[in-house]
Amino acid sequence: MEEERMEPPPPPPYIHIETNDFLHRRHKRQKEEDIAVCECQYNLLDPDSACGDRCLNVLTSTECTPGYCLCGVYCKNQRFQKSQYAATRLVKTEGRGWGLLADENIMVTEFTLILWSANVVKYIQAGQFVMEYCGEVISWKEAKRRSQAYENQGLLILSSLNVSMVLVIEACSQPNCETRKWNVLGEVRVGIFAKQDIPIGTELSYDYNFEWFGGAMVRCLCGAGSCSGFLGAKSRGFQEATYLWEDDDDRFSVENVPLYDSADDEPTSIPKDILIKDEPNTQDGNNNTIQNTGIPIIASSSEFTPMNVEPSIASSNEFTPMNVEPLNVSSNELTPMTIEPLNAIPMGVDFTQNGSIEYGAQCAEDALQNSTRGVANLQNQSAPRDNNHTELVAVKRRPTLRGGKAKRGMRKQLNVAGICDRLASEVAREEILYCEEMKNQAAAEIDSLYDEIRPAIEEHERDSQDSVATSLAEKWIEASCCKYKADFDLYASIIKNLASTPLRSKEDAAPKEQNGLMYLENGP
Ligand SMILES: C[S@@+](CC[C@H](N)C(=O)[O-])C[C@H]1O[C@@H](n2cnc3c(N)ncnc32)[C@H](O)[C@@H]1O
């Protein structure tokens, strides 16, 4: 990175700017009650006393407000306001256009913060302020519009003559600088700070955290060992465009990010009195385990075949055979079943024409629909073969689109009432309906919470600087977890009961028609 001092060729004409230009709103005025006043008092013998590293404002990345800081003109915590930049100079780089060199030794100072109350000593590194990152401040909407326009043009055009020197700093995967946000007179401002000592003559760099929206892919020439090859290569857009994606590849979907060890969870939130109704458990220890070998499972119509679902650990690409243990029970008996928590994303079970079973990771609704269909199809097969029974049909996977977004639109509405209608056991129906009620409540709660936080989100999007309050974020996370848990409980309950509860006989349950579709038919 070290380059010899030489006179650079003249750069193209530009106007050097040192303030932000707000395009979508007025500049914020700091209210008096929002002014943070530190406790520093200037001591001639200790220059660091005037808002140095121990200043409460410095420690919270807030600049002191002139007229309110007791250190007056000695206050050292007004670097953005006074444009106290490090000395730099332009340099023409090899293949990367113009860059910026340190024109003085830029230092990282280390200091100690003592948290007296907890008696904890913590070291914090404070890098020297290099310069402010300033330019046009635009709304998210405008940012999206511009990125779309750049994408359409296939290139990035900096059409403005107004240039902050920061715009010349190069991208690097092992940069010597970083960006930090500071609160300056009520506005958030972004600065470039040294991450390490930078000797004079060294080129400055920081990680752009560049979001790639499409268009040209720019090869990164930073030369760092850990370089990812292209500008924006770490961004989602770039990765989606360059990785090989397959159906059901849910790498980025939120559902698949393991957040906690579910072994610590309570098994279910369904009240015990609903789960343990005193219907007899007729499981008789039948050990006729059928391994799934692709042979269709055929049972007589009077037999009810509960499924024993073993806990399975599967990635979306792995095939996990499932043990199906047939049990002979009379249609009036209920065999409750325990489903162990799955250490995997929800499994979709597709029954195909040749009787083999396909497993695939899908979203919970998809899994449920397929399981429901699978069980219905399985039961179709249970009647004698010579009576024009509906054949098992090949289940075509719906295409999974990138990012999981489009999948949402394709989800089918779950017909809980229809499923319940087919079950002979009152307890099973009650349990499923209870779970549905819980799911609806959780959905209503998250909807009303969204309405509550919408103003904060909109404000956040407008200003792109005020964080959503932690308490709101916590509420949101809690409500989301409740919603996921309620969803899971409902699906688990349906799968369990479909697998373990006798169906109502044809006489009991006339086929239900909805929107021209027959649900959960047991055959003619
Ligand atoms: C913010 S500008 C930096 C100033 C630029 N060098 C110039 O002369 O205008 C970002 C552009 O610089 C180039 N650039 C910056 N860092 C780079 C790197 N590590 N490898 C390749 N090109 C880089 C890319 O063309 C990028 O779009």
Side-chain angles (χ1 to χ4, degrees), residues 95-99 156 158 167-172 208 218-222 231:
R96 291 170 285 126
W98 289 85
L156 182 102
L158 290 174
L167 285 184
V168 191
I169 300 180
E170 300 289 314
C172 184
Y208 284 4
V218 179
R219 189 167 285 284
C220 182
L221 302 172
C222 76
L231 295 187

Side-chain angles (χ1 to χ4, degrees), residues 17 45 76 143 161 240-241 407 432 442:
I17 53 165
L45 302 174
K76 292 203 297 268
L161 270 180
E240 283 188 2
K407 274 200 303 193
I432 293 176

Side-chain angles (χ1 to χ4, degrees), residues 12 90-100 133 156 158 163-173 203 205-206 208 210 218-223 227 229-231:
L90 278 165
V91 66
K92 186 80 178 147
T93 68
E94 287 275 317
R96 291 170 285 126
W98 289 85
L100 211 55
Y133 196 134
L156 182 102
L158 290 174
V163 173
S164 152
M165 274 302 112
V166 168
L167 285 184
V168 191
I169 300 180
E170 300 289 314
C172 184
S173 314
E203 187 175 346
S205 58
Y206 70 98
Y208 284 4
F210 190 67
V218 179
R219 189 167 285 284
C220 182
L221 302 172
C222 76
C227 176
F230 291 89
L231 295 187

Side-chain angles (χ1 to χ4, degrees), residues 22-29 187 463 465:
F22 288 85
L23 297 191
H24 68 305
R25 65 166 169 85
R26 281 209 300 273
H27 204 285
K28 277 188 184 168
R29 288 235 179 114
E187 280 286 10
D463 292 357
Q465 53 173 298

Side-chain angles (χ1 to χ4, degrees), residues 400-421:
T400 309
L401 298 187
R402 286 179 192 150
K405 277 193 178 159
K407 274 200 303 193
R408 268 166 223 271
M410 294 197 286
R411 282 182 186 171
K412 283 185 188 163
Q413 197 60 38
L414 191 59
N415 181 7
V416 175
I419 293 168
C420 287
D421 224 39

